[in-house]
């Protein structure tokens, strides 16, 4: 019915409304072409996400490793990939373990991480809070790791020379090479924080007010003058 040739006693196929088609026309004109090898395909495999394409079962294989696809697979553009090759070639890699991230990627510190790999550099616990710190020594440090708030306080922040607690604010007093909370840098006499000038004595530091009182009472004050 397609080429007009006599069927004779040769092999023929039924096509459409019971029309007879010779074997040659059936293969070349009726059968769909395999997207893998381009040859006519009678037994085919299809992919719902790639409509209009069919493959021979043996041609339905990964474009990277050539393994026949079974079970789950991926496709990119017109190419098919097994899960392993797709992950290796196209998925982002974790900044910590360097393995592909299939789902649940977390983006931080200009990198992509598995959520389970985004852990504190000190305690190794997952960092889940939006507020965290980093070990980065400079912007763009590729080796930067997150640091949780408790570890930042205990391992990174400078400690007060008086109370040994972390100094969270940037403003602090410095005395004899030690950093102190401003509220911990107190006059040895009145116990109030020193606001400006002080006198360094053997027993500690005295504020300007206490020194003035002592001087007005006839007490000689010896010490090195300084400023907070």
């Amino acid at each position: 019915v397609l080429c007009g040739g006599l069927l004779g006693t040769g092999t023929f196929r039924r096509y459409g409304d019971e029309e007879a088609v010779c074997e040659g026309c059936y293969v070349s004109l009726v059968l769909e072409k395999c997207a893998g090898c381009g040859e006519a395909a009678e037994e085919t495999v299809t992919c719902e996400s790639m409509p209009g394409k069919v493959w021979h079962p043996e041609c339905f294989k990964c474009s990277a490793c050539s393994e026949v696809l079974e079970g789950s697979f991926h496709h990119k553009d017109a190419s098919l990939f097994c899960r392993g090759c797709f992950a290796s070639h196209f998925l982002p890699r974790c900044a910590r373990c360097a393995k592909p991230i299939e789902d649940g990627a977390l983006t931080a510190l200009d990198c992509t991480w598995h959520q389970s790999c985004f852990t504190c550099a000190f305690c190794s616990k997952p960092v889940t809070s939006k507020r965290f710190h980093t070990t980065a020594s400079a912007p763009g440090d590729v080796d930067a790791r997150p640091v949780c708030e408790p570890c930042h306080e205990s391992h990174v922040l400078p400690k007060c020379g008086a109370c040994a607690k972390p100094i969270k604010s940037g403003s602090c007093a410095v005395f004899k090479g030690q950093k102190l909370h401003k509220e911990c840098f107190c006059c040895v006499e009145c116990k109030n924080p020193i606001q400006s000038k002080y006198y360094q004595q053997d027993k500690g530091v005295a504020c300007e007010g206490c020194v003035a009182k002592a001087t007005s009472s006839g007490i000689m004050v010896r010490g090195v003058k300084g400023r907070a």
Side-chain angles (χ1 to χ4, degrees), residues 32 38 49 58 131 140 145 167 177 184 195:
E32 295 181 273
S49 56
E58 64 273 17
R131 177 177 173 79
R145 290 278 306 282
I167 300 175
C184 291
Q195 302 298 328

Side-chain angles (χ1 to χ4, degrees), residues 157-176:
L157 290 181
K159 304 302 184 292
C160 175
C163 70
K165 293 180 180 179
I167 300 175
K168 296 182 181 181
S169 66
S171 179
C172 63
V174 179
F175 181 67
K176 289 187 176 181

Side-chain angles (χ1 to χ4, degrees), residues 55-196:
W55 292 262
H56 292 112
E58 64 273 17
C59 292
F60 193 67
K61 56 188 178 182
C62 175
S63 297
C65 68
S66 298
E67 289 292 322
V68 174
L69 297 173
E70 295 180 356
S72 61
F73 62 91
H74 298 272
H75 70 85
K76 185 173 179 62
D77 300 326
S79 299
L80 300 168
F81 296 93
C82 64
R83 287 188 63 182
C85 288
F86 185 82
S88 176
H89 287 81
F90 301 109
L91 292 183
R93 291 187 176 272
C94 175
R96 177 76 186 282
C97 69
K99 294 180 180 179
I101 305 173
E102 293 196 42
D103 51 36
L106 186 153
T107 301
L109 304 178
D110 297 324
C111 296
T112 307
W113 314 68
H114 289 113
Q115 292 186 17
S116 58
C117 289
F118 194 65
T119 57
C120 175
F122 293 98
C123 67
S124 297
K125 293 180 180 178
V127 177
T128 56
S129 172
K130 291 183 179 180
R131 177 177 173 79
F132 63 89
H133 302 270
T134 172
T135 59
S137 57
D141 186 350
V142 295
D143 295 320
R145 290 278 306 282
V147 179
C148 67
E149 187 70 23
C151 286
H152 180 70
E153 291 186 9
S154 60
H155 294 283
V156 180
L157 290 181
K159 304 302 184 292
C160 175
C163 70
K165 293 180 180 179
I167 300 175
K168 296 182 181 181
S169 66
S171 179
C172 63
V174 179
F175 181 67
K176 289 187 176 181
Q178 286 189 320
K179 292 184 177 181
L180 302 100
H181 293 113
K182 285 196 169 183
E183 61 270 23
C184 291
F185 188 47
C186 298
C187 172
V188 71
E189 299 293 341
C190 67
K191 311 303 180 186
N192 291 322
I194 293 175
Q195 302 298 328
S196 56

Side-chain angles (χ1 to χ4, degrees), residues 32 46-55 75:
E32 295 181 273
T46 60
C47 174
E48 290 184 2
S49 56
M50 299 177 73
K53 292 183 179 292
V54 298
W55 292 262
H75 70 85

